[in-house]
Amino acid sequence: MKTVFLDFDGVLFDSIKEAYLLARYAFYGIPIKDKIDEEHYQKFKKYRYLITHSWQFYIILTLIEKNIDSANFANLYNNLLVHGIDTNIKIFDEKYVLARENLVKEDYNFWNVLDTPFDFFYEIINLSQDKNYDFIILTNKKKLPVQNKLKEYIIENIRLFANEDLKEYKNKADFIYNYLNLNNIDKCILIEDSIDNINDCEKYSQIKCLLADWGYVNPKEKGLTKEQVLEYIKE
């Protein structure tokens, strides 16, 4: 059996609009259903590739507010990521997460259309019917909203590990390595749109990483097309 780990945001689903509305609310207090400022939204989308965890949207919005030039944006972001952590970030992330939970509970239909599946997702659903594959979603999102999203597609053969499962690990790479050892699995594939998550896996020869070019990919990196990824999975 071939074990394949899949990122959720940017690999299976396009969740940029949900992230923007939640981050905008947590940062500015703007009601989630208010009209989107397209210029501001496009700036947010441009730097989405830098994000691994929801609290990091605070740094993105802080730099957007300062009108940081795009040439310097990533360097300043990485600097703040290391040296700019403060209590405001914790407050921001609590608001972000709670807003998502409330939206799922109180207005599911509105929330449900914010995320849209990539074509790749449907390909994985089809492949998951084949017992030769073990597909596992691995995401930094909270488990409940992802479970709710997946229920819509009546998925039975794809397992999910989320934020709650990753808490005791430094990163996805360490989680996967531990999972492989616990389950006596020699090797696996990880499909990601985050080059940072992929780089974390370099120390583990058991993990073969594939960068998806359809997600939130660093423009400096060259990823694989959906067709190329599927071909590799099926080899």
Side-chain angles (χ1 to χ4, degrees):
M1 181 177 286
K2 187 173 290 187
T3 301
V4 182
F5 286 91
L6 305 152
D7 183 35
F8 186 80
D9 291 335
V11 171
L12 299 180
F13 277 79
D14 183 0
S15 58
I16 189 70
K17 183 174 285 187
E18 182 215 31
Y20 177 73
L21 293 178
L22 293 173
R24 187 183 67 169
Y25 164 77
F27 192 86
Y28 299 104
I30 297 173
I32 289 173
K33 292 187 178 181
D34 274 17
K35 184 178 179 180
I36 289 176
D37 179 321
E38 194 60 32
E39 182 180 354
H40 192 263
Y41 181 46
Q42 292 304 319
K43 289 180 181 178
F44 181 87
K45 289 177 69 174
K46 182 177 181 178
Y47 301 111
R48 170 62 181 83
Y49 75 90
L50 293 166
I51 302 300
T52 303
H53 303 282
S54 57
W55 59 265
Q56 295 165 341
F57 286 124
Y58 177 89
I59 301 176
I60 292 288
L61 291 173
T62 297
L63 294 176
I64 289 175
E65 276 296 293
K66 294 180 178 180
N67 292 314
I68 299 300
D69 182 81
S70 58
N72 300 317
F73 199 99
N75 287 336
L76 287 172
Y77 170 86
N78 289 322
N79 183 59
L80 286 174
L81 198 61
V82 176
H83 304 293
I85 306 301
D86 59 38
T87 54
N88 287 329
I89 288 182
K90 186 174 185 294
I91 294 170
F92 168 88
D93 199 45
E94 288 172 351
K95 288 181 178 179
Y96 183 103
V97 172
L98 183 59
R100 174 187 280 147
E101 292 174 355
N102 289 338
L103 196 59
V104 171
K105 293 176 184 176
E106 298 169 8
D107 200 343
Y108 183 86
N109 289 336
F110 176 81
W111 170 80
N112 194 40
V113 299
L114 294 178
D115 291 356
T116 55
F118 290 109
D119 290 342
F120 181 72
F121 175 65
Y122 296 109
E123 298 281 1
I124 292 299
I125 290 178
N126 291 333
L127 281 176
S128 71
Q129 307 307 311
D130 187 332
K131 293 183 179 180
N132 289 316
Y133 300 106
D134 182 21
F135 289 108
I136 303 168
I137 295 173
L138 187 59
T139 177
N140 286 305
K141 271 187 169 181
K142 291 284 188 178
K143 184 169 288 185
L144 181 60
V146 179
Q147 284 178 328
N148 285 332
K149 178 65 69 174
L150 296 176
K151 281 180 184 178
E152 180 181 343
Y153 300 90
I154 317 176
I155 295 173
E156 298 178 350
N157 302 318
I158 301 177
R159 287 177 294 136
L160 168 66
F161 292 102
N163 176 272
E164 296 88 338
D165 305 296
L166 287 165
K167 278 185 176 179
E168 63 181 277
Y169 298 93
K170 183 178 179 181
N171 48 45
K172 286 185 176 181
D174 290 352
F175 174 89
I176 294 172
Y177 178 71
N178 185 63
Y179 179 91
L180 296 180
N181 287 336
L182 288 175
N183 292 279
N184 296 315
I185 299 171
D186 294 331
K187 59 184 178 179
C188 72
I189 299 170
L190 170 64
I191 303 168
E192 263 282 355
D193 68 328
S194 168
I195 193 64
D196 290 336
N197 285 333
I198 285 178
N199 289 339
D200 288 336
C201 293
E202 287 185 350
K203 59 184 176 180
Y204 300 124
S205 60
Q206 302 95 321
I207 307 173
K208 172 64 178 179
C209 297
L210 305 178
L211 180 67
D213 75 352
W214 61 87
Y216 317 124
V217 183
N218 186 329
K220 295 180 180 179
E221 303 293 339
K222 181 173 175 56
L224 301 174
T225 66
K226 177 190 74 173
E227 290 74 21
Q228 288 173 321
V229 171
L230 289 170
E231 183 179 348
Y232 192 92
I233 291 174
K234 295 174 184 177
E235 283 181 353

